[in-house]
Amino acid sequence: MREISALQVTEKIKELCLKANYDIGADVEKAVQQAMETEPSPAGRSVLCQLCENYKIAREERVAICQDTGMAVFFIDVGQEVHFIGGDFEEAVQEGVRKAYAEGYLRKSVVADPLFDRKNTGDNTPSILHIRLVPGDQVHILMTAKGFGSENMSAVKMLVPADGEQGVLDFIVETARKAGPNPCPPMVIGVGIGGTLEQAALLAKRMTARAIGSHHPDPRYAALEEKALCAVNRLGIGPAGIGGETTALAVNIASHPTHIAGMPVAINICCHAARHAEGIL
């Protein structure tokens, strides 16, 4: 049994929150740079150039990539041989978020009640935690800072098996079309297929953090990713929604076994600031 202190958890969470908000991933930056070279629209190229400059300023001056520093969402895999000491694990995570958002001058965007009072909690907590128990004696943490300009454009649809591949493709493209300029394109589109309603949504969320340029291990799904990306980019929405061929940087699909009678599909859209960071304790 390996012991990990609550303080270690808090410090790692703080580190990842700051890193995600200040340092765009190399995969995202590379994808935007490549799009800048191929985007035929002069206005679109100008937007992509500004995004690259913004990433550089955020990284060098240690300021937020975007003013919407999002809800902090964590996918945490806890090794079953780990024992946490010195405090409550979940509270240690929330304390790390509090510290990062206060000390890093990151906007606090969480309200305590979703419908009535909508009073800001003042520290960007509570964050969203998805915890899995896995073999081993390590803790793997994936953090995403999820802004709601793009989150609000996400969707779930309970397709049936007869809808097939074309039904999934149509849903992805239509969701992107409806989103238009609202999610601050170019987008990263996470897609979850299978499981149940909530499982599909979790898969889609996690896919917004999958490295751009990677692909589903099943070549059939990998081909669908490419087909969907091309179709979305033919919509002409373009960078910042002002026209062009770079509406999305990636369509990342995850699949999961499901019931014989259904085919849930969830789409989680992320803006160009696809902020995520991961670390191991």
Side-chain angles (χ1 to χ4, degrees), residues 98-119:
R98 291 188 196 100
K99 286 188 171 185
Y101 277 74
E103 297 174 22
Y105 300 99
L106 305 177
R107 195 181 82 185
K108 291 80 174 174
S109 303
V110 176
V111 294
D113 182 87
L115 180 59
F116 296 107
D117 299 332
R118 292 192 66 85
K119 182 179 179 181

Side-chain angles (χ1 to χ4, degrees), residues 79-137:
Q80 62 187 18
E81 302 301 324
V82 169
H83 175 55
F84 295 105
I85 60 173
D88 176 84
F89 172 74
E90 291 197 18
E91 176 53 32
V93 172
Q94 305 299 352
E95 181 61 17
V97 174
R98 291 188 196 100
K99 286 188 171 185
Y101 277 74
E103 297 174 22
Y105 300 99
L106 305 177
R107 195 181 82 185
K108 291 80 174 174
S109 303
V110 176
V111 294
D113 182 87
L115 180 59
F116 296 107
D117 299 332
R118 292 192 66 85
K119 182 179 179 181
N120 199 298
T121 62
D123 58 11
N124 220 57
T125 69
S127 60
I128 306 298
L129 275 63
H130 304 295
I131 302 172
R132 297 187 302 195
L133 191 63
V134 299
D137 63 355

